[in-house]
Amino acid sequence: SLGAHNLDPYLLKCAALIIAGVVTHIFNQTFIVGKIPKSWKTAFVLPLLKGGDGSELDNYRPISKLSCLAKILESLVNRQLQSFLTVNNTLSSNRSGFRPKHSTITATVRVVNYITNALDNRKYCAALFIDLSKAFDTVDHAILLGKLSSIGLGLDACRWFHDYLKDRSQAVRFDGIQSEPLELVKGVPQGSILGPLLFTLRINNISDEIRKCQIHLYAVDTVMYSISSTADQALSLLETDFKISQGSFIQLELVLNAKKTHFMIFKRFKKLVENTLALTSLDGSQINQVSAYKYLGIWLDDKLSFKMHIDELCKRLKIKLGFLYRNRTCLSSTNRRQIVQATLMFVIDYGDIIYMHATASTLKSLDATYHCALRFITGASY
């Protein structure tokens, strides 16, 4: 796809040997003078439906399509900033996103291990999955620049980031129609290289005031959890720190999305959990209790059986397999294997270290789906 300058990235790739020197000189000049070409700060926003009702604007994620040259420049700065944060041990230990040797899987493993230990000790674990409204779009530039200065970035680096954030504009482009450009006074662009790391820095110390609960963050995905011998006590601990975290959100000008924030009580007991407490936000909105929640791509249920995750996984795989079987006569055995590896195996592999300890009866349906994929490759009978 074309970038913000209608410049095909493939053209840059083909001409790399010819233009590398010139592009390097331009990049170096942006660091020396602390300025970025204004045209590189223009973005075209593509609204992508995350799921749910297509008529609800909250169900769309705005992805900014930026100039490919701007993204190359951002990747260079991102690498240096990552190195600076690692050397100075700046990022909180309660954060997994956008740091070396950390991923969505390591984040989920950490949370699941904590919950598993609680259940193994015959205790309750109350977990709160926090959703923030338009988190990337509400980043206050003054607060962010102050944060960058406070972690030790020099004047030249802060000057570069100041220019990076100012004079940005965006226009929505969808189905061949484009809106008028609008100047941005807040936010970091989704789809940029630097945006996620800058947002991470903005909320890096949000866990400092949390005392009674554990908290873990991956970009905008935040989960708080506490354990106790009773469900009510676990919820009470959670409620105390939830109020504190909401105060931090207000200071950082972040907006809690109470409708999409949920809590769950994990237990191994067969009896019904009789919790009398309810969680509410500071504005009085009721936080909904759920029995299952999709955290970083893994469905967690209140007994950690992973049955719902396996069911959803099989549903996705069967849809893909159905399409492949309908078109299998067009494919050779080698092609079938390549397609299965490219479209099915990565789906099965994602998070398998987490759900692999589900019961044999739960995993049975996944085994059957996997064998179906093998029969598609080999042409073998059932």
Side-chain angles (χ1 to χ4, degrees):
S1 61
L2 300 184
H5 295 157
N6 290 328
L7 181 64
D8 194 331
Y10 183 69
L11 175 62
L12 291 177
K13 186 176 181 180
C14 292
L17 293 177
I18 301 172
I19 66 175
V22 176
V23 172
T24 301
H25 176 73
I26 295 173
F27 288 169
N28 286 332
Q29 285 299 306
T30 70
F31 300 133
I32 293 170
V33 302
K35 289 187 177 295
I36 303 170
K38 189 173 181 180
S39 59
W40 288 8
K41 296 187 281 187
T42 301
F44 293 123
V45 177
L46 175 67
L48 291 181
L49 183 63
K50 295 184 290 185
D53 187 357
S55 63
E56 290 286 338
L57 294 181
D58 285 344
N59 291 331
Y60 287 86
R61 177 179 286 113
I63 301 299
S64 299
K65 301 180 72 176
L66 299 160
S67 163
C68 48
L69 285 174
K71 295 187 78 169
I72 295 171
L73 175 62
E74 285 190 39
S75 67
L76 297 174
V77 176
N78 185 69
R79 191 180 308 161
Q80 293 185 50
L81 184 57
Q82 285 270 19
S83 177
F84 174 85
L85 297 175
T86 301
V87 170
N88 292 278
N89 197 28
T90 303
L91 293 179
S92 167
S93 60
N94 294 316
R95 175 173 302 286
S96 288
F98 312 107
R99 59 191 307 183
K101 300 180 181 179
H102 290 72
S103 66
T104 54
I105 297 303
T106 59
T108 308
V109 165
R110 177 171 176 170
V111 173
V112 169
N113 279 348
Y114 183 90
I115 298 170
T116 301
N117 287 335
L119 301 187
D120 287 345
N121 290 316
R122 304 286 294 174
K123 292 186 177 182
Y124 293 91
C125 179
L128 177 68
F129 301 93
I130 298 173
D131 187 272
L132 300 172
S133 295
K134 305 293 183 287
F136 278 67
D137 299 330
T138 58
V139 173
D140 184 275
H141 293 170
I143 294 176
L144 177 58
L145 290 169
K147 186 69 177 180
L148 292 172
S149 177
S150 69
I151 64 175
L153 289 191
L155 291 176
D156 290 340
C158 289
R159 180 179 61 176
W160 187 92
F161 279 106
H162 178 267
D163 191 78
Y164 170 82
L165 293 169
K166 77 172 187 178
D167 296 329
R168 302 198 75 92
S169 63
Q170 67 180 28
V172 178
R173 179 183 285 178
F174 183 74
D175 201 20
I177 302 174
Q178 182 177 314
S179 69
E180 291 295 322
L182 179 69
E183 183 181 357
L184 298 177
V185 295
K186 282 188 176 185
V188 290
Q190 291 197 53
S192 65
I193 305 297
L194 276 172
L197 184 56
L198 292 177
F199 177 81
T200 294
L201 284 172
R202 180 199 182 193
I203 62 172
N204 184 51
N205 300 110
I206 209 168
S207 61
D208 290 353
E209 301 299 321
I210 303 301
R211 294 288 182 265
K212 300 180 181 296
C213 299
Q214 296 289 323
I215 185 171
H216 199 75
L217 303 95
Y218 189 97
V220 297
D221 293 286
T222 302
V223 56
M224 294 173 57
Y225 37 93
S226 63
I227 61 172
S228 184
S229 55
T230 67
D232 274 352
Q233 191 172 359
L235 274 177
S236 180
L237 296 173
L238 198 60
E239 183 180 37
T240 300
D241 279 344
F242 182 39
K243 289 179 179 178
I244 294 173
S245 66
Q246 289 179 84
S248 300
F249 295 153
I250 293 172
Q251 289 180 351
L252 294 171
E253 298 187 10
L254 292 167
V255 180
L256 176 74
N257 187 343
K259 290 183 179 179
K260 294 186 178 180
T261 296
H262 306 290
F263 78 92
M264 193 190 320
I265 299 176
F266 294 90
K267 76 280 184 188
R268 284 258 167 88
F269 313 105
K270 293 184 178 180
K271 64 181 182 180
L272 184 66
V273 177
E274 297 179 356
N275 55 295
T276 58
L277 295 179
L279 286 182
T280 57
S281 63
L282 291 180
D283 64 3
S285 299
Q286 188 87 10
I287 304 301
N288 187 39
Q289 181 177 355
V290 295
S291 58
Y293 185 85
K294 191 177 184 180
Y295 177 67
L296 298 180
I298 303 291
W299 280 99
L300 304 178
D301 59 87
D302 57 10
K303 292 183 177 63
L304 280 190
S305 68
F306 297 105
K307 185 178 186 310
M308 186 170 184
H309 181 75
I310 299 296
D311 290 344
E312 292 295 321
L313 194 57
C314 290
K315 194 181 300 181
R316 285 181 61 191
L317 295 172
K318 286 176 181 177
I319 292 173
K320 294 177 181 290
L321 277 171
F323 173 81
L324 293 178
Y325 266 99
R326 288 192 295 272
N327 296 275
R328 65 183 180 276
T329 55
C330 306
L331 304 168
S332 66
S333 177
T334 302
N335 293 148
R336 293 177 188 179
R337 179 178 177 179
Q338 291 172 337
I339 291 173
V340 166
Q341 287 178 325
T343 62
L344 271 71
M345 290 310 300
F346 84 94
V347 178
I348 296 176
D349 289 342
Y350 180 79
D352 57 355
I353 193 173
I354 299 169
Y355 69 77
M356 66 184 289
H357 297 296
T359 62
S361 59
T362 300
L363 290 171
K364 186 176 180 180
S365 58
L366 184 59
D367 288 337
T369 307
Y370 178 62
H371 294 161
C372 185
L374 294 179
R375 290 195 299 275
F376 167 77
I377 295 173
T378 62
S381 62
Y382 183 84

